[in-house]
Amino acid sequence: MVDHRRQWPITDDLAALRENIQRYALRAGLTGSRLDDLVIAANEAAINVLEHGGGAGTLAISCDDGVLAVDVADHVGVLRPGAVPDERPTGRGDRGFGLWLMGELCDAVTIDRVPGQSTIRLSMQVDDGAADEGAAPIGRSARPV
């Protein structure tokens, strides 16, 4: 089985990271507003690593069985499972919307924590048949014509 997982370090060059996410997600078949939602959510998760996760981490993206997953890991490990709020934050503070926003934009958001690392997974279901013409979809077999 071919491993279609890609991984990049999280740095201050968020534009390059967003471009990598967009390119991979497009090839996997994610398009339109769902593609925009994933890029925004992943960008927010990467910003959280830079601001709250010790400034170092990685972003990995993969597609398996029609589910596109973005894993954003930091090297501090302060996020805990269940930290994604169900309700919109009150807005009384200047922070606190990121995790909620990720939960609103993605089909599923989960957090795993081990000592020294938190990983947030952003998942999106990919619509069948939306992949770019001429390229076999990532994570799925090419269909005969």
Side-chain angles (χ1 to χ4, degrees):
M1 178 178 208
V2 177
D3 181 10
H4 294 291
R5 185 173 192 256
R6 299 289 182 264
Q7 182 172 311
W8 303 280
I10 296 172
T11 68
D12 289 338
D13 190 357
L14 292 173
L17 191 62
R18 288 189 303 268
E19 191 173 301
N20 287 332
I21 296 163
Q22 183 170 342
R23 184 176 19 255
Y24 186 100
L26 272 169
R27 183 148 180 250
L30 200 63
T31 60
S33 62
R34 291 183 51 78
L35 172 62
D36 295 340
D37 289 348
L38 180 67
V39 172
I40 291 166
N43 184 73
E44 182 62 34
I47 289 170
N48 283 352
V49 168
L50 295 174
E51 293 183 356
H52 309 293
T58 56
L59 183 143
I61 190 169
S62 60
C63 189
D64 190 31
D65 292 328
V67 177
L68 188 61
V70 176
D71 294 320
V72 179
D74 67 58
H75 299 300
V76 172
V78 296
L79 281 178
R80 296 180 186 277
V84 179
D86 293 328
E87 305 267 331
R88 182 175 186 237
T90 62
R92 293 190 180 139
D94 61 347
R95 307 193 80 71
F97 278 84
L99 288 172
W100 173 78
L101 182 64
M102 288 178 234
E104 290 295 304
L105 294 174
C106 297
D107 294 341
V109 178
T110 57
I111 299 172
D112 290 319
R113 182 175 182 230
V114 296
Q117 179 175 309
S118 296
T119 302
I120 189 163
R121 172 168 277 195
L122 311 170
S123 300
M124 299 287 274
Q125 183 72 38
V126 178
D127 296 330
D128 284 337
D132 292 339
E133 290 183 24
I138 296 170
R140 292 177 283 169
S141 300
R143 294 181 207 125
V145 179

